[in-house]
Amino acid sequence: MIQASGLRKQYGDVVALDGVDLTVREGEIFGVLGQSGAGKSTLLRCVNLLERPDAGTVTVAGQDLTALRESDLNRARRRIGMIHQHFALLSSRTVAGNVAFPLEIMGVPRAERERRVGELLELVGLEGRGGHRPHQLSGGQKQRVGIARALAGNPSVLLSDEATSALDPATTQQILALLKRLNTELGLTILLITHEMNVVKTVCDSVAIMAGGRVEESGTIADLVRTPGSRLTREIFPLPEPAPAGSVTLTFAGQAGRPVVSEVVRKFDVDLSILGGSIEELAGDSVGRLRVALEGEDAGAALAYLRASGLIVEEAA
């Protein structure tokens, strides 16, 4: 659905994007994770060409946006919704007026606008609040207005720029649940920018980790947690580094309900001490990381058994 190739963007001496490649599949929620200055917001603005890259191409739904004339680009942008970090609502307009604004720009007749606004407010859980002003709303409600406005043009792609960073934890979970529901019910492809690992853990199917204007790691969460040395896995399941000499780090996905540890202890008569670890629910699967010390004559065979069982086994030097 979204394909960015070789994106480069420079502001003076600052290189914001340095050869970024990104592939977002249709219907998935893709997170771009990184700290401030990583280049993730610049990447998002390049996807809908609010910022034109100095080099590279951006293709959305099979259409090369970087090759379009301005008039054609404006039409293409109607299929790309945008949610902002600080809501960007018009204080002079009511909730309904804010949602209707992009429809007015598109020249949608008044009766159809009113019908569409009513549908959108119900969709985001704000029915009955169309006459309110932004100052009468909570932060979560303001963001719901922003989401409804982003959906006004019936987009196939939704871009989210730190949409939950200004919200408290409980409201963040509500907004993430709404985005997941919209993704499922409307078939929306969602590209979201965040510096919060919790956002990635809660809703994302795939992720790219950015630093210094480059993508350091990218892929589905299911694939990355099964990749030895994955930065995503280390950040989701932090363990003290460096690992103690002789210890073993086990990463498992899909085996959380199977008693693999007790199996290997019984089968190979080894002593196994747990040094640390945790389990998380990621992309609908139970994933965990466990650091252990394994002792016994058959410790090598026990490790081979764990590998054969589908666990990622990383031995400390």
Side-chain angles (χ1 to χ4, degrees):
M1 177 59 76
I2 301 173
Q3 181 75 50
S5 301
L7 292 186
R8 182 176 176 83
K9 183 67 180 179
Q10 188 166 344
Y11 303 98
D13 296 330
V14 178
V15 178
L17 297 178
D18 188 9
V20 169
D21 296 327
L22 193 73
T23 299
V24 181
R25 299 171 300 168
E26 184 175 1
E28 76 172 342
I29 300 180
F30 193 108
V32 178
L33 180 69
Q35 298 304 311
S36 296
K40 55 190 189 299
S41 291
T42 301
L43 171 61
L44 193 75
R45 291 194 299 271
C46 283
V47 168
N48 60 6
L49 260 67
L50 291 178
E51 294 277 359
R52 186 169 287 273
D54 300 326
T57 60
V58 176
T59 301
V60 178
Q63 190 171 33
D64 183 356
L65 301 189
T66 46
L68 296 180
R69 296 176 300 177
E70 194 64 26
S71 59
D72 294 328
L73 178 58
N74 287 335
R75 282 192 291 272
R77 285 196 185 111
R78 295 178 183 179
R79 302 292 295 168
I80 304 173
M82 180 81 168
I83 311 170
H84 301 274
Q85 177 180 0
H86 294 293
F87 321 129
L89 302 182
L90 299 172
S91 59
S92 61
R93 284 179 169 246
T94 62
V95 166
N98 271 277
V99 177
F101 186 60
L103 297 172
E104 293 175 17
I105 294 175
M106 287 186 275
V108 176
R110 180 173 181 176
E112 187 176 343
R113 287 202 310 266
E114 292 177 351
R115 178 189 59 79
R116 179 67 175 151
V117 168
E119 291 175 349
L120 290 168
L121 292 180
E122 182 177 357
L123 182 64
V124 301
L126 289 178
E127 58 270 30
R129 295 187 182 271
H132 285 58
R133 298 280 177 174
H135 73 271
Q136 297 175 293
L137 304 178
S138 67
Q141 289 170 335
K142 290 178 182 177
Q143 195 55 281
R144 287 174 186 268
V145 177
I147 292 171
R149 181 184 56 194
L151 296 175
N154 199 26
S156 56
V157 171
L158 192 61
L159 307 181
S160 169
D161 190 6
E162 300 274 12
T164 60
S165 63
L167 305 176
D168 62 76
T171 306
T172 291
Q173 291 304 308
Q174 293 169 7
I175 294 299
L176 293 178
L178 173 59
L179 291 177
K180 184 64 178 177
R181 178 168 63 83
L182 295 174
N183 164 255
T184 302
E185 293 181 1
L186 304 181
L188 279 174
T189 300
I190 301 178
L191 175 61
L192 59 85
I193 300 301
T194 185
H195 65 272
E196 301 173 278
M197 182 60 75
N198 181 59
V199 172
V200 172
K201 292 191 295 185
T202 302
V203 297
C204 290
D205 304 300
S206 299
V207 66
I209 299 178
M210 289 191 69
R214 297 182 179 183
V215 173
E216 293 193 340
E217 184 172 277
S218 181
T220 67
I221 289 178
D223 286 343
L224 290 178
V225 297
R226 291 178 172 87
T227 302
S230 164
R231 177 179 166 182
L232 177 73
T233 306
R234 294 197 307 270
E235 292 194 8
I236 292 178
F237 308 102
L239 293 170
E241 300 292 349
S247 66
V248 177
T249 301
L250 309 174
T251 303
F252 49 91
Q255 304 97 344
R258 178 183 168 191
V260 178
V261 170
S262 58
E263 281 179 16
V264 79
V265 169
R266 290 196 305 268
K267 190 175 182 69
F268 297 96
D269 192 25
V270 293
D271 293 323
L272 188 149
S273 302
I274 296 176
L275 306 179
S278 61
I279 297 176
E280 297 276 1
E281 191 74 18
L282 299 176
D285 200 1
S286 292
V287 180
R289 194 167 182 236
L290 197 65
R291 181 165 291 160
V292 302
L294 199 62
E295 297 180 355
E297 292 184 4
D298 289 335
L303 292 178
Y305 177 80
L306 290 171
R307 288 190 176 96
S309 299
L311 277 69
I312 303 299
V313 179
E314 299 173 85
E315 299 179 63

